[in-house]
Amino acid sequence: MKALYILALLFGVVSCDKPKSAPKQPDPTLSAELKASDTPILPIKKGDYWKYKVRVEIPAGVTSEGASAVDVDHQKTRTFIGKVTAGKGLPEVDAFDVVSAGQPIERELVEIHEDRVLMRGSTRPETADAKPMWIDPPIPFVIAGMRPGQEMANFSVKGSDRKRGMKVVAREKIKVPAGEFPVIRLLMTGNDGKFEIRRTTWFAPRIGIIKEVKARYASDKLLFRETVELFETNVK
Amino acid sequence: MKSICLHILIAALMTGYAFPDTGDGFKFGKRPANSIFDPSEVLTLKQQKEISEPLKVILENEGIDIVVVILPEIGEAPPMHVANGFAAKWSTGPAHAVVLHVSDHSGTPWIKLGGAVTTTIKPEVISEYITAARKRAAAEPNDYEKIRAATTEAADALRYWLGGAILRSESLITERLRQQMAHEKRKRLLKLSAILGAAAAIPILFGLVVLIIRLRNRGSKVFPGTRKIARLGAPYSGGGNAVS
């Protein structure tokens, strides 16, 4: 009888040990949701284009002493040309040709992955002896799911005194002539030798660059500011 | 030394207008609705709107509060002291800034950052950023551009640092949850092993109990009682009748 009592007690202990509520799992982070909504980050095909309104401001006295201020508008078109090689011995990368009136074509070299765009450099394809500016290893320009407060790599370009640092400042909405877009606001600061640079880029995942403001300073003076705004694109 | 103190005192008295008292004597009244205090109308209404509208959106969406103060002069008063006075009276929220612009003062504009978020950043990082930002804003060609650039710089810095603080706190929470889950997992494993141990002990205990019961019931078989009837053995094995 005693034995039965012991057994009953043991079974009672086992059956009364109900599992307590498990600790809460961390919620899927906002980053993960953003990453999913940002991916693919730039689903584009050869021939896709982005047309921009460009405003260039040069304060008085910058180009020469007594020179008046310059404030001009023009257009710029960025076209995706697919994969190209920037030079002998360099791998094939994705490229955009940027055409502005009166300027030689500038070819922007990047690597477009599913969830990120990496900077690879630039070159001038029409200038025969132009050496490409090649960034190795590539530098992240934009990554799906990026959030304010994240800092991208600080980097310097080999063989030059160019330094850059990039930060994610905000995720916000921006209105430009092409419409309103949810964007990632990126701030790049750095220098090209004695020139200080401040560049803000508004990048819309799945669409591309929506707006850019580039400013250059030297000797405590603004040298020029270029404001670029998207007014037409076939990317949707 | 006395003369230096006297000079400072005279300067402070002479700049009574521009030396806002951070106590009850603050003489600039209530904060303007558009967050731009411009009594001498350095900016046009259109320019004020161009600066204040993005600031309003940032305040509504992210709680970052930026006030622009434009004064005609501040005498000998230290600009950051003036900015501090306005920040103490008008600024709110966990991340805020005062952009102070004094038209004819060299080095204008000044940026005073404040709020809880700035306490999470190393002072030297803030100082380095502010120095570079002020330099860029001061390089702009006119009052409007200087103020616009300084507000953008202040907003960018606060948005970046506030975002960083949120990311850090989230990663801390995630790490704490991860540790809590690992602890709970260990506890569950210990409990499970205790239950399994107990379950394994059940048949052993059962066997022991059965053994004990059997042993207890065997008592008289082990020790048989004493014979009460005499039994004759050899050489009388023919049985009792053989004798009689």
Side-chain angles (χ1 to χ4, degrees):
Chain A
M1 192 64 195
K2 270 184 186 172
L4 284 173
Y5 177 74
I6 293 165
L7 283 174
L9 199 66
L10 272 171
F11 279 117
V13 168
V14 172
S15 60
C16 285
D17 187 31
K18 286 178 188 167
K20 283 176 191 167
S21 60
K24 279 182 188 171
Q25 296 282 329
D27 289 333
T29 60
L30 190 55
S31 252
E33 286 168 24
L34 281 175
K35 192 168 185 168
S37 69
D38 289 351
T39 311
I41 192 99
L42 201 53
I44 52 172
K45 57 188 185 304
K46 205 170 169 178
D48 282 344
Y49 66 87
W50 297 258
K51 289 183 179 175
Y52 300 95
K53 280 184 177 173
V54 183
R55 184 180 176 201
V56 178
E57 298 161 82
I58 302 171
V62 168
T63 46
S64 61
E65 206 164 315
S68 54
V70 175
D71 192 341
V72 291
D73 292 344
H74 62 91
Q75 281 189 17
K76 181 161 98 170
T77 305
R78 177 179 275 123
T79 310
F80 182 56
I81 59 162
K83 294 217 180 272
V84 296
T85 180
K88 214 177 170 184
L90 296 175
E92 274 198 336
V93 289
D94 300 293
F96 297 88
D97 274 357
V98 181
V99 181
S100 304
Q103 297 278 323
I105 294 173
E106 189 185 353
R107 184 164 288 170
E108 295 171 340
L109 307 167
V110 296
E111 276 180 32
I112 303 171
H113 298 267
E114 185 72 359
D115 68 338
R116 64 193 59 206
V117 179
L118 308 175
M119 291 187 282
R120 267 308 200 171
S122 64
T123 184
R124 292 202 184 274
E126 289 177 335
T127 313
D129 53 351
K131 264 183 95 178
M133 189 192 82
W134 183 247
I135 301 172
D136 196 24
I139 304 295
F141 168 65
V142 65
I143 300 173
M146 286 198 311
R147 291 177 61 191
Q150 289 180 322
E151 187 168 17
M152 313 293 275
N154 289 320
F155 63 98
S156 50
V157 179
K158 262 184 204 172
S160 76
D161 49 6
R162 293 175 184 182
K163 284 179 188 164
R164 299 282 189 277
M166 193 137 83
K167 296 176 172 78
V168 185
V169 170
R171 291 191 77 117
E172 60 187 5
K173 277 191 176 170
I174 191 170
K175 215 170 187 176
V176 291
E180 194 178 50
F181 300 90
V183 292
I184 303 169
R185 181 178 176 141
L186 302 158
L187 173 63
M188 183 191 272
T189 50
N191 65 287
D192 277 358
K194 63 178 182 175
F195 299 110
E196 197 183 342
I197 289 169
R198 188 183 202 276
R199 179 175 178 167
T200 306
T201 305
W202 288 262
F203 181 92
R206 298 169 185 265
I207 304 285
I209 293 172
I210 303 299
K211 184 177 175 181
E212 271 189 301
V213 178
K214 285 185 258 182
R216 271 176 182 254
Y217 306 86
S219 311
D220 299 342
K221 258 191 170 182
L222 175 75
L223 298 183
F224 95 106
R225 178 171 29 246
E226 186 185 73
T227 307
V228 177
E229 283 186 327
L230 184 73
F231 73 91
E232 191 187 326
T233 179
N234 68 326
V235 181
K236 282 173 184 154
Chain B
M1 189 65 189
K2 267 185 187 174
S3 67
I4 293 170
C5 290
L6 194 66
H7 275 97
I8 292 170
L9 186 67
I10 291 167
L13 288 171
M14 286 176 71
T15 56
Y17 163 74
F19 208 120
D21 184 350
T22 54
D24 293 329
F26 183 76
K27 58 184 78 169
F28 298 102
K30 284 186 179 172
R31 174 182 166 156
N34 69 352
S35 302
I36 299 178
F37 180 67
D38 184 15
S40 47
E41 295 177 352
V42 170
L43 299 180
T44 64
L45 285 176
K46 187 176 172 255
Q47 288 172 333
Q48 284 197 15
K49 202 176 168 192
E50 280 171 1
I51 291 171
S52 69
E53 280 193 345
L55 298 184
K56 192 180 164 194
V57 173
I58 292 170
L59 178 61
E60 282 171 2
N61 294 346
E62 296 163 58
I64 293 169
D65 180 28
I66 297 170
V67 180
V68 177
V69 176
I70 305 164
L71 295 175
E73 52 94 24
I74 55 169
E76 296 294 318
M80 286 310 274
H81 181 81
V82 177
N84 277 337
F86 282 96
K89 282 288 166 190
W90 287 352
S91 294
T92 56
H96 55 76
V98 170
V99 170
L100 173 67
H101 178 66
V102 185
S103 298
D104 296 328
H105 204 300
S106 63
T108 190
W110 292 271
I111 301 168
K112 156 76 188 149
L113 300 181
V117 72
T118 54
T119 60
T120 65
I121 311 293
K122 286 180 184 169
E124 56 267 29
V125 173
I126 295 177
S127 170
E128 191 184 334
Y129 182 87
I130 293 297
T131 305
R134 272 195 54 219
K135 199 175 143 193
R136 285 191 292 262
E140 294 287 343
N142 55 53
D143 290 331
Y144 165 68
E145 294 292 355
K146 283 179 205 283
I147 296 162
R148 192 199 48 76
T151 55
T152 307
E153 294 275 6
D156 281 356
L158 289 175
R159 294 171 99 184
Y160 173 68
W161 286 330
L162 189 62
I166 292 167
L167 287 178
R168 277 194 298 279
S169 67
E170 279 180 4
S171 68
L172 276 175
I173 291 166
T174 308
E175 177 60 20
R176 204 174 301 151
L177 275 172
R178 198 188 60 74
Q179 283 178 1
Q180 194 187 336
M181 282 175 69
H183 180 68
E184 291 291 331
K185 195 179 169 186
R186 269 199 307 276
K187 265 172 72 178
R188 276 203 306 277
L189 280 173
L190 273 172
K191 221 175 263 181
L192 187 69
S193 54
I195 291 165
L196 286 174
I202 290 168
I204 297 169
L205 281 171
F206 186 74
L208 274 173
V209 170
V210 169
L211 193 66
I212 290 165
I213 291 168
R214 282 194 176 178
L215 286 174
R216 279 190 177 173
N217 290 345
R218 276 183 65 196
S220 58
K221 287 175 188 169
V222 176
F223 303 104
T226 315
R227 285 182 74 87
K228 295 200 171 102
I229 303 164
R231 195 179 73 175
L232 296 175
Y236 313 106
S237 56
N241 295 335
V243 181
S244 58

